[in-house]
Amino acid sequence: MHFSAQLTVLAAASLVAAGPSVVGPRQSQKVTVDLNKKYQVIDGFGFSAAFQRANLVVNLKEPKQTEVLDLLFNITTGAGFSIVRNGIGSSKNSNQDHMNTHLPNCPSSPDGTPAYVWDGKDSGQLWLSKQAVRYGVKTFYGNAWSAPGCMKTNNDDANGGTLCGVSGATCRSGSWLQPFANYLIKYIQYYAEAGVNVTHIGFLNEPDFTASYASMLSSGTQAADFIKVLRPALDKAGYTSVGINCCEATGWNVATQHMQQIKSAGVEDMVFAFTSHEYSSRVGSPMNTKRHVWQTEYSDLNGGWSTAWYSNGGAGDGFTWANTVFNAIVNSNLNGYVFWEGIQDRATNNNNNEKLILVDGQTYQVSKRLWAFAQFRNVRPNAIRVGASGGSNLKSAAFQNTDGSIAVVIINSGTSAQTVGVSLSGSTLASPTVSAFLTDTSNDAKAVAVATATDGTASASLPGRGMISFLFKGASNATVV
Ligand SMILES: *[C@@H]1O[C@H](CO)[C@@H](O)[C@H](O)[C@H]1NC(C)=O
Ligand SMILES: *[C@@H]1O[C@H](CO)[C@@H](O)[C@H](O)[C@H]1NC(C)=O
Ligand SMILES: *[C@@H]1O[C@H](CO)[C@@H](O)[C@H](O)[C@H]1NC(C)=O
């Protein structure tokens, strides 16, 4: 016991004796992790397969199907994603890429009995979610782009419109707040019956944008009206642990307004995470809330399909995404970061970069964006971000997982290779074993050699514009005084 405390003392003594030179590669740069400096808790990293994209994986034959699932969920060989954002369908049919609803027709009045219809597929998302469960994924975010059209002012699940019954939206048929809450709970029940526990629920998508597909307009104030009905309904149904996420604005500025309006309405505490996309404005300074904050949808919608790690900093580059996710987690204290589509076909949107993996019939191609996310795969849900600093041209972040292990993620912003050393301060890990893996132009989260100096500093070589992640695991924990 208290083994590492002794080690620290010994290491300090040997450092004094040995002077500045250390065993192993020359340390041109040093990152110091401070476990006593604690920041936000991490909920995870994820993607969506909404709008029937999940079916692309459903339809893949083996061994390709397992290969793609491993790329998405495997913690040792793939991205190790820990959040799946599923679209809750609102469309009456499955034409084109529509997500069909489990309530194609409303009862004639809000207090009537709803005739739910569940197809057991949910546009391929239920199958994909079950696979995710097999890989250990525990966070499933069910997100309705809209209420069924029959609950809205425009009687259509597409083209904007507002939920009947929120402030400023009265309908002759009455208020549909309670039926919409019941409808979302029914979705959670269908998933639970299939072995997938929905942990978070959302009821809007880009409510500041009228889309020709499923969409529903809402301010933060109107969202608060519904949250006041949804929270007690979830609790009454036994889903006290299911968190409400809100409101999926097109960008950070609007998301911040939503958060303020929800605060003003007095229901901030009923929200699990405030959610934003990054299309109309990028994730900026940390939101002023006690609740969690997630970025839940972003991608390069304009660039043609690219698998490049670095091509002059293009919006679809893996290296750009490494920095995008890093900035959100480290500079804006986000608790979760969710990409847009995990998989997509070639035909949709002229084969752009809004996906991580291109699934083209029975073949697939993997973008470096996926490998940028993979560099965060050892940051497991409920990890705490801790202090990390040091080194020029280095961006570093560190996280302590609930099992005590420590993941350190480092981006080399410079163009030349350097040897990077990582030392832990305040660690409770006894005799840690250290592994590291690297992504750059020619490597995909590849395990690389780590040298450990007598003072415990772990070093590895990091190419220019490369990204490396170290994982420190302890044989057992010990306390440092
Ligand atoms: C992840 O990949 C490893 C290596 O191929 C494999 O042994 C393991 O079974 C995979 N994990 C799951 C949950 O399939
Ligand atoms: C889902 O939740 C139920 C009830 O809390 C629990 O018994 C079950 O193990 C959970 N399933 C998974 C896959 O986590
Ligand atoms: C190490 O510490 C963590 C966090 O305090 C704890 O959850 C874990 O069980 C411990 N592991 C061992 C092997 O003692």
Side-chain angles (χ1 to χ4, degrees):
M1 292 298 145
H2 303 277
F3 189 50
S4 71
Q6 283 174 340
L7 270 187
T8 306
V9 173
L10 284 175
S14 67
L15 248 191
V16 171
S21 69
V22 288
V23 181
R26 192 176 59 87
Q27 282 168 232
S28 46
Q29 300 283 353
K30 185 153 170 171
V31 169
T32 302
V33 173
D34 184 355
L35 287 128
N36 293 318
K37 234 184 227 164
K38 294 186 197 302
Y39 301 99
Q40 80 273 27
V41 66
I42 300 297
D43 295 317
F45 302 87
F47 70 93
S48 182
F51 293 99
Q52 300 187 29
R53 308 301 186 247
N55 282 330
L56 294 167
V57 193
V58 173
N59 295 333
L60 273 177
K61 294 190 177 71
E62 292 293 12
K64 296 259 185 333
Q65 185 176 71
T66 295
E67 287 167 15
V68 168
L69 290 172
D70 274 333
L71 283 162
L72 294 168
F73 299 119
N74 198 303
I75 295 164
T76 51
T77 64
F81 281 121
S82 49
I83 299 177
V84 177
R85 174 181 178 233
N86 285 323
I88 302 177
S90 52
S91 303
K92 280 187 180 248
N93 56 54
S94 296
N95 299 347
Q96 294 148 336
D97 59 5
H98 292 174
M99 294 182 279
N100 62 302
T101 177
H102 57 283
L103 187 62
N105 297 294
C106 287
S108 56
S109 71
D111 54 7
T113 305
Y116 295 122
V117 182
W118 184 243
D119 66 6
K121 295 188 172 69
D122 200 28
S123 302
Q125 297 173 111
L126 183 56
W127 179 88
L128 186 67
S129 300
K130 285 176 163 178
Q131 306 309 311
V133 167
R134 245 182 356 95
Y135 282 87
V137 174
K138 293 202 164 32
T139 305
F140 292 92
Y141 174 24
N143 187 183
W145 262 239
S146 172
C150 47
M151 299 183 182
K152 294 168 64 186
T153 53
N154 63 340
N155 199 34
D156 181 0
D157 80 306
N159 301 303
T162 309
L163 180 62
C164 296
V166 298
S167 47
T170 46
C171 299
R172 281 171 62 182
S173 59
S175 167
W176 290 84
L177 302 193
Q178 189 63 51
F180 186 37
N182 297 344
Y183 165 88
L184 295 173
I185 287 165
K186 193 69 195 174
Y187 163 88
I188 299 171
Q189 285 167 349
Y190 285 130
Y191 263 69
E193 282 163 17
V196 180
N197 292 336
V198 174
T199 51
H200 300 81
I201 194 96
F203 56 93
L204 295 169
N205 176 71
E206 302 186 351
D208 52 322
F209 173 62
T210 301
S212 59
Y213 46 87
S215 51
M216 182 160 83
L217 300 178
S218 178
S219 65
T221 309
Q222 290 171 319
D225 292 337
F226 182 61
I227 290 168
K228 286 176 194 168
V229 174
L230 179 58
R231 185 66 265 165
L234 285 166
D235 294 346
K236 199 173 158 202
Y239 294 122
T240 50
S241 65
V242 173
I244 298 174
N245 287 355
C246 199
C247 315
E248 304 285 327
T250 56
W252 192 253
N253 296 348
V254 181
T256 304
Q257 284 168 20
H258 287 155
M259 180 273 296
Q260 283 158 350
Q261 289 167 339
I262 285 171
K263 261 189 177 178
S264 301
V267 294
E268 181 187 16
D269 287 350
M270 291 189 186
V271 172
F272 177 86
F274 289 102
T275 54
S276 180
H277 300 180
E278 282 200 78
Y279 298 113
S280 60
S281 57
R282 304 296 301 274
V283 167
S285 51
M287 265 194 209
N288 180 19
T289 174
K290 302 185 297 296
R291 312 308 293 166
H292 288 204
V293 183
W294 292 4
Q295 194 296 132
T296 40
E297 184 189 320
Y298 188 46
S299 64
D300 167 28
L301 297 173
N302 301 314
W305 172 250
S306 164
T307 57
W309 174 252
Y310 185 82
S311 62
N312 301 310
D317 284 3
F319 187 70
T320 299
W321 276 87
N323 284 285
T324 293
V325 178
F326 183 96
N327 285 334
I329 300 294
V330 178
N331 301 328
S332 307
N333 290 341
L334 261 57
N335 307 87
Y337 199 101
V338 181
F339 190 81
W340 177 212
E341 297 284 14
I343 56 258
Q344 194 157 276
D345 56 89
R346 188 179 286 278
T348 303
N349 296 332
N350 283 323
N351 197 22
N352 68 357
N353 277 329
E354 67 184 315
K355 54 201 176 277
L356 299 171
I357 301 174
L358 163 62
V359 177
D360 191 19
Q362 291 298 319
T363 65
Y364 66 86
Q365 287 174 37
V366 187
S367 72
K368 286 285 191 174
R369 297 181 289 282
L370 180 121
W371 295 110
F373 276 96
Q375 289 295 136
F376 290 91
R377 71 188 175 195
N378 286 321
V379 183
R380 302 313 303 163
N382 299 316
I384 306 284
R385 186 165 75 84
V386 296
S389 61
S392 66
N393 281 335
L394 294 183
K395 290 182 172 181
S396 56
F399 308 83
Q400 183 155 36
N401 289 305
T402 55
D403 68 357
S405 64
I406 295 151
V408 184
V409 178
I410 301 171
I411 296 172
N412 183 358
S413 304
T415 52
S416 36
Q418 41 188 325
T419 300
V420 176
V422 177
S423 76
L424 306 181
S425 146
S427 170
T428 57
L429 289 180
S431 6
T433 54
V434 192
S435 54
F437 53 98
L438 168 74
T439 295
D440 66 354
T441 297
S442 42
N443 295 288
D444 297 333
K446 189 193 171 212
V448 291
V450 182
T452 310
T454 46
D455 70 347
T457 300
S459 304
S461 174
L462 177 57
R465 291 202 184 100
M467 185 175 192
I468 194 166
S469 303
F470 292 83
L471 180 65
F472 294 77
K473 278 182 172 172
S476 64
N477 297 334
T479 312
V480 172
V481 255

